[in-house]
Every structure is written in structure tokens, then in C-alpha cells.
Amino acid sequence: MSRARPEAVAQRNVDTTVRPRLVNRAQERAILMGLLESVRGGLSGTLVLRGEPGIGKTALLDNMISAATDFRVARALGVESEMELGFAGLHQLVVPFLPQLDRLPVPQRDALGSAFGLIAGAPPDRFQVGLATLTLLADAASEKFLLCVVDDAQWLDVESAEVLAFVARRLYADRIALVFGVREPTERRMLTGLPELHLGGLLAGDARSLLASVIGRAPDAQLSERIMAETQGNPLAILELTSVLTPHQLDSASQLPEPLPIGSRLQQHFVSLVRALPPETQTLLLLAAAEPSGDPVVLWRAARALGIDRDAVAPAEADRLLILGPQVSFRHPLIRSAVYHGAPTAERHRIHAALAAATDAAIDPDRHAWHRAAGVVEPDEDIAAELAESGERARRRGSYASAAAFLSRGAELTPDHGVKAQRLLAAAQASLAAGAPDRAQASLDEAMPLLHFPLQHALARSLEGGIRFALGQGGETPSILLGAARSMVSLHSPLARQALFGALEAAVFLQPATTRPLLQEIADQVMALPRPEGSSENAADLILDGYAALITAGYPSGAPLLKRSIAAMLTEEPDPGADLRVFGLASLAAYSLFDDASLHTLVRRWVQLARDRAALTAMPIALAFLARAEMYAGRTRECEDLAKQSLEISAATGNPGYLRQASYRDVSLLAWQGNEAEARASAAAQSAQALERGQVGTANFVRCALVPLELGLRRYQSALDSALPVYKDDPPFLGSWVLPNLIEAAVRSGNEQGAHEALSRLSERAAAGGTPLALGFLARSRALLAGDLEAESLYKESIDQLSRSPTKPELARAHLLYGEWLRRQARKREARDHLRTAYDMFSSMELLAFADRARSELEATGARARKRTVETQSQLTPQEAQVARLAGQGMRNQEIAAQLFISASTVEYHLVKVFRKLGVTSRTQLAHLI
């Protein structure tokens, strides 16, 4: 999208309106001044001012700017008619800083350049743009304190609102104050979770002072009370009311008209002021109201085309309705709204047509298209096609909400039903990508009766599956996508494979109890789907085929394909535009094949790619997978740090999703740590939530996560009861690791038949995986069921295999089980060595569930073990701990900032505190300590 000239926009940010003095507002001003002081102290702050029209938001913001004489100030103004132009509000705010764009890291520079239409490229990730904005503003603030003010933020376009909310949530020690003014009430839920200040009416004394300052004397008591009661202390209402009342009416309450022109009648009051002006002036005001750029060149060009002389502006200036300068602006947004919405529809159409003719389509094609569309009511393919082109430009910039708006309006003006259906489907896809599934569903519903071709119906069905999933109706998604894939098989094989991949992903991750029959249907469809001739094999295809083979023919058939797909993902450079969600299914495949080494590498690469692309929608999931991998490796603190990052980034995007309900310390980690009370409470709460959503499989997995706790406490029957539902359902790719635990629980509970059945399943999967972890699990499980003559060699084999695996807790468990067996054989001296090894390993990893069991076994041999507890954590905050760990690994500040999605100045601030708290003076010392 083309933009106004930078110097013009910079001028637009300068408010030339003359406003009355701010009356008192001592408490509100103190809060805003405190925010400025915090910035002067090296920190940052965000505040959202909310209140009804005229309550004084803009006056407070102006007062704050006046007090910020030592700050650089950047302003932006939300404009109602620009809400559909993606990144327009953000562009207003950052345009003064664009000369420093080349100083940004290349991915950030390209993302922001693409969002603003400065360069051609793939659609940028919304939060890569956010990170670029944060870096740009923080860099500017390093030279001088920075105050960013966004007024009328309720009218920001979706993309700008989301990016600025992201920036606001990541500010910490950047010397930036970011303040928003939002008119209430508003249907748009934005900037939620940020600090807020709700403005009410003036206090009685302040309201009387304002009234006295306007009328030039102390008002009559009854007059004052009447005005105060009806205006509710709204400053704008008081000012406008006194401007239309005569001196005689202001003498006493008895002379006041009924009703007073305030409240909901305030906008009508402005309409009446406008209608009292000459017709040419009214037309000029309407032109200004319909052209949000405030560009006087466009305004006067359109005015000349309508035969309006420059003298027509004089009455509007005299009444202070319109303010002329380098940019054209209204005294108050309510005036703009009153002018525009108070005009007849036909007149608005005429005005937009004139503005379209006055707008250079080569310089600003999107606004030209929007004005043309607003100037007609009948279908017009030429205009509709221009809107569709604007929609495609918006999509390429990542402005999906704007793309949806252009395409939806284009569909309204499209005469051909087939083309209209295509544009509606495209609008639905853009709305879904913009995170607006309700709007996507509305576009889809409108398109459905117009679809005539089978492929269109199949694509619509596939889109419906995605919408339902986004709306939280996930249980139906796999079936819908499977049906769409079946319809596409003979029409478009690649699209059919995409739909099947989505159906498989939804079925696996949703984990309902009825997954297996549906997975079998998906697998059958994949197996029957012909491969296009000459097509190259990619990781996604290999994963889909591998899953299908595993589901239909078992692990011996599926494992080779899955291993090839994992190897490809570990060695090949992914397509820059490839969907990162493929890593989820690949990670589960590695998990199922006991390939813990590949799992660690795979999820680390997933996280790194998500960081490189700033794909913050994928990042929380990738971090959660990496956290789980760290837990399997026995690195519990790293696990907790990563889980915290996952939650923080999810919260920073304003779209926490499922993470909103979850504690970062999940049930599995709590169970391994031996935190019995919290683990059971968390499991009970999460199971109940899953059952409420009908996700029986998820509830089973949550309960199964308690198995390590039960085994550590020697509650073998409870461990068996917790593991059996997952074992019986055996959800593909998620039911493998339950097998060694179930075998141990079954053996200790006296259920040898159940243990042998589970061992048979484990044997097949261990052979298919062939990893040290798989073979170590198998040897350890066989030892539990073996006689005394065979058990020892199997225990030794398990220790040998598991010592080559990164999953160290399982090696410690092998030492524990072998030590327990040796003690029962009355070989106490040998038992002590293995039990002490197990105890030391569990203690060092802070896995107290098994550490206590190993300690009591060790003491049963006559040895003494000092009871160890988790070391007291340092007094670092979660983010300080993350910064310290990354700095200790040798990362530079900019690298840490990019990884944690904060600014380099915030990293430096945290490091200063880390050094002081830990008593170190260099990164080398920090690395040794960490």
C-alpha cells in the first residue's frame, strides 16, 4: 500500500488545535507525570486512557506532551475511515524513524518494509513487524527519551493495533512511554491486559471552575447543578453547551432549554452547526471528513472538481470546526463523525467519487480503490477488480484484515456470481488468517449458495474445518477436513494431501477417545491417494505417508518413512515459506520411535526457525515442545525457563490460546519433581477442563502424567490405573512412552499377564526405533519380568544402552531398579553403588519423586544418604534468569533480545541486575556460575 509523503505525515502528527486549559485532573495528571518520571529513570511504561467522547483524553495527552520537553514525541491518530487500511496507524507513528530502518537486523527490516509496501516480498509475520517496531523505537529512545501517543486508538486498523499491543507488552527498560487514548464504549476489544486509566467526569468543583472560565463569572448555583447533572462533568459537553447558550440563558437554571443538547444529542448538535453553514462549506467539510489522509492537495483538487472555491472554508474556520495547516484536521473527532454520518447517502457517494478522481492511483492505489468503491452502489466489475488487486497487495504485506475488507467489498460489487464466490472464499481465508473466524464464517456462508464447481465446494469445506477449529469446535475439524480431501482427490491431488495433513494433525493433537477409527480413515485415504508424477519428496509428504503406513500396518512399516522425514528435516534447509507446523507431527514421530536425540535436535531447530521468522503464533508451541524435551533430559530448570518463555510470548501476542489456562509447571514436571499436592491439584483441574470440552483423550493423558509420581511413591496400583486408559486407547505417536512405566507398575502390582502384553507392544516399537533409548527401555522392561538368571545381564544391558541416551532420568531409573534387584538378592555392597548413583543423579536433576525412593532403598542396605532438597533458587526474576542463561552461553545482547523478543536495552538492564545479584563482574564468571 502506498503511503503519504513522510514529511506530510510527520506534520500531520503535530496538533495545531487550540484547546482550553486543562482544569485540575490532578490525580490523572499525576499518573501520567509518574509515567514520564519512570522513563526518565531508565524504564518504560504503557497506559491506556479510556473514556467517553469529550471526557478529556486528548486534553490529558496534550498536557502530557507539554510536560515532556526533554522527550522526542511521536503521535498517531486513529481515523474511522482508515480502519481497513492495514498498518496505516503504525506507519503514522514510526514514519519519523524510518530513516534508521537500515540499522535493523535484516529480517526485521524486511518485515517492516514489506508491511509498509516499501519492498516486495513474502507476507511478513505480524510479530516480526512488532519486533522491528520495538527495535526501531528502542534505538531512537537510546538517544533521547521517547513519548509515543496514539489517540482515538479504537479506530486503529487491526494490524497496527496488534503490533502496537505487542510492543507495549514487551517494553521494560527502553526509556519509552507509550500511551493510548480509546473512546468508550467500543465494540472492539483491543489493548486488553495493558495498564488502564478510566476517565470519568470532572469533579464538581473542577466542573464549576471550567464553567466559570468559559462564561467569565461564577455561575448561579442552580444553573451549575443543572449543567453538572446533565453533562455528568463531561468537559466537551460543558464547552459545547455554553457555546450555544445565550447570555440570557446562562443567567439562571430557569432559562435553560429542555432538553439540553448534550450526551447522545451532542453529535446532533454538531450536525446542526454544520447545516447552518453555506452549502459549499458543508460540501468542503464532507470532503475533509471522507478523506482521512488530511492531504490538502487531494482536498483542494476534489473541491475544484466540484466547483468549490477556497473561500468556502472561511465559515468553517471561523466556527473552529475545521483547522487548516500543512494537514487538514477537525477540532474534535465527533465533528468529523457528525459531518460524515449526518450527510445523505447519495451525497457521500458523490463526495467519494470526487475524492477517487482526485487521488493518484499510481501513488496511492488502495485509497483510490476504496474511494471508488464508496462512490457506487451498483455492481461494477472494473471497481471490484481494482479492490481485489488491493486485497492481494494487502495479503502480500501480511495485512490480512485489510485484504479481507477489500475482497469483501469487491465481492459486493462483483456482478458475476462465480467470480463473486471466489472473492468471498478469498475474503474468508484472509479473515481466518487475520484471527477473525467469525468474519470468515460470515464470508463463507455468503459464498456457499454461489459455489457451482466441485473444487470450490471442496475448498469451502476445507476452509470450514479451519474456521471451526479456530472457533474452538475442534472435535469436528478432522472429519470435515477428511471430507474435503475426499472431494479433492480427483480434482486436485496436492490440495487433497494438504487437507489430509490438516485432518491428521487435528486428529492427533486433539486426542479425543475416538481418534483411532478416524485416523484409520485418514490413513486409508492417504494410502489410496496417487502421487503426482515427477513430484519431489518432501518432509511433509514423508510424514503423511509414514503416519499412514504406521496406522494401517504398524511400526515396522511406518518407522522407515518417518525416520526419513525426520532426517530430511534435520539436514535440509526448509523452504522460507514452509509452514512450521510440520515440526509438530515430526516431533511426535521422533517421540514415538524413542528417538530422543533427534527429538532434541528437531525441536531446537523448530524453535530457532520460529525465532528467525519471529513466528510468534508458532513459538509458544515450539517452546512447549522444547521444554518437554528438556524435562526428559533431566534439565528441570531449563524446562521451567522455556515454559515461562512460552507463556510470556503467548501473553505478549495477546493471544495466549490454550496456554492461558495452563500453569507453566505442568503435571509431568510436577510429578517428576515429587510435588505431590500441586501435581494432583493441577491434574484434577486440567482433567476436568478437558472433560468439559469432550476431550477424553486429553484427560487420560493428564492423569497418565502422574505415573512418575506414583512410581516414585511406590503406589504401583495407582500408577497402573493412571496408565491403563492411555495404554488401551494407544493413541498413535503418543502411547509409546507409557509402556515402560506400565510394565513396571504391572509387575510390582502382580499383573504379570498385563506386563507381558505391554512388553510385546514395546518390543515391536523398540525394534522399529532401534535407538539406545528404545533398546534400553526394552532391556530394562525384560529384566523386570525375567528370572534371576537372566535379569542381571538385562539390567546391565539397559544401563549400557541408556548411558548413550540424552534421557538421563531413565538411566537413573535403570540404576535404581538394578540396585533394588541387587538388594533383594542380598548383594548389599553392589546394590549400594547403583542406588547411590541413582540417588545422586535424581537429586542433581531435582527429580525428587524418585530421589526419595532411591534414598530409602539405599538406607535399607545399611548406608546413610543425606536427604537433599531442591537448592534455593537465586533471587533472579524469570526474565533475568533467561537473560543470564543465554548470556552465559555466550550470546550477545542483540541475539538475546531477538530470542526473547525484547529490546537490547532491556537485556542490558537485566544483565546489570543479574551481575549485582549474583556477585559477578563478567560474562565469563556468569558462564561458570550458570
Side-chain angles (χ1 to χ4, degrees), residues 523-583:
D524 291 341
Q525 192 65 59
V526 173
M527 300 295 283
L529 188 66
R531 277 291 192 93
E533 292 185 9
S535 64
S536 59
E537 210 171 48
N538 58 48
D541 284 333
L542 285 170
I543 286 175
L544 189 61
D545 292 340
Y547 273 44
L550 189 148
I551 292 166
T552 56
Y555 277 75
S557 297
L561 286 171
L562 292 174
K563 288 180 178 179
R564 283 168 56 194
S565 71
I566 294 168
M569 294 185 69
L570 292 178
T571 57
E572 298 174 5
E573 284 300 318
D575 186 331
D579 195 333
L580 294 181
R581 68 182 191 176
V582 69
F583 278 87

Side-chain angles (χ1 to χ4, degrees), residues 764-837:
E764 179 188 73
R765 298 183 188 187
T771 64
L773 178 64
L775 300 176
F777 271 152
L778 182 60
R780 196 180 77 193
S781 299
R782 283 177 172 168
L784 286 166
L785 285 162
D788 290 343
L789 295 178
E790 300 173 292
E792 184 161 19
S793 62
L794 289 169
Y795 278 126
K796 289 181 177 179
E797 180 186 347
S798 73
I799 290 171
D800 178 61
Q801 291 287 355
L802 291 171
S803 64
R804 289 179 261 161
S805 162
T807 307
K808 296 309 175 187
E810 298 300 340
L811 172 62
R813 286 180 65 183
H815 281 289
L816 172 61
L817 288 171
Y818 185 29
E820 290 176 337
W821 181 85
L822 287 168
R823 187 179 70 80
R824 289 194 298 272
Q825 300 298 313
R827 296 161 60 179
K828 292 185 178 181
R829 181 177 298 176
E830 296 168 87
R832 287 182 194 129
D833 292 337
H834 289 280
L835 292 172
R836 184 171 286 108
T837 297

Side-chain angles (χ1 to χ4, degrees), residues 428-429 432 436-445 460-473 477:
Q429 290 173 327
L432 186 59
D438 291 319
R439 289 176 58 184
Q441 186 65 58
S443 295
L444 182 60
D445 291 341
R461 188 72 170 157
S462 178
L463 183 58
E464 182 187 3
I467 292 172
R468 285 178 177 271
F469 188 80
L471 288 172
Q473 302 165 1
T477 304

Side-chain angles (χ1 to χ4, degrees), residues 27 110 156 167 202 211 285 292 327 337 348 423 470 502 550 612 792 799 920:
Q27 182 176 356
D110 290 348
L156 285 174
V167 171
L202 295 174
L211 182 58
L285 285 170
Q327 295 299 113
S337 182
R348 291 204 300 266
R423 287 170 180 163
L550 189 148
D612 291 344
E792 184 161 19
I799 290 171
V920 298

Side-chain angles (χ1 to χ4, degrees), residues 489-693:
V489 169
S490 61
L491 303 171
H492 200 295
S493 181
L495 287 178
R497 290 188 71 84
Q498 289 181 22
L500 286 170
F501 188 93
L504 175 66
E505 181 184 40
V508 168
F509 280 103
L510 291 174
Q511 303 171 4
T514 55
T515 294
R516 180 162 288 283
L518 182 60
L519 280 172
Q520 187 63 54
E521 293 183 58
I522 296 171
D524 291 341
Q525 192 65 59
V526 173
M527 300 295 283
L529 188 66
R531 277 291 192 93
E533 292 185 9
S535 64
S536 59
E537 210 171 48
N538 58 48
D541 284 333
L542 285 170
I543 286 175
L544 189 61
D545 292 340
Y547 273 44
L550 189 148
I551 292 166
T552 56
Y555 277 75
S557 297
L561 286 171
L562 292 174
K563 288 180 178 179
R564 283 168 56 194
S565 71
I566 294 168
M569 294 185 69
L570 292 178
T571 57
E572 298 174 5
E573 284 300 318
D575 186 331
D579 195 333
L580 294 181
R581 68 182 191 176
V582 69
F583 278 87
L585 288 178
S587 298
L588 288 183
Y591 176 85
S592 181
L593 294 171
F594 304 112
D595 191 355
D596 50 345
S598 294
L599 174 65
H600 278 76
T601 307
L602 196 63
V603 293
R604 287 187 182 280
R605 191 171 201 203
W606 184 8
V607 168
Q608 189 59 53
L609 286 170
R611 282 186 173 129
D612 291 344
R613 300 183 189 182
L616 268 71
T617 49
M619 178 67 80
I621 309 301
L623 285 170
F625 266 77
L626 182 56
R628 184 59 59 90
E630 291 295 281
M631 186 190 74
Y632 295 148
R635 293 188 284 268
T636 54
R637 293 194 183 184
E638 287 84 347
C639 171
E640 290 188 282
D641 284 349
L642 289 164
K644 289 173 188 174
Q645 285 186 47
S646 179
L647 279 174
E648 286 174 0
I649 293 172
S650 187
T653 65
N655 183 28
Y658 77 92
L659 294 169
R660 184 179 301 165
Q661 305 298 328
S663 166
Y664 72 85
R665 303 183 72 195
D666 70 7
V667 178
S668 293
L669 181 58
L670 291 168
W672 276 97
Q673 290 177 323
N675 192 331
E676 182 177 3
E678 194 174 345
R680 295 194 190 282
S682 181
Q686 292 185 40
S687 296
Q689 290 174 2
L691 291 174
E692 286 178 6
R693 296 190 298 265

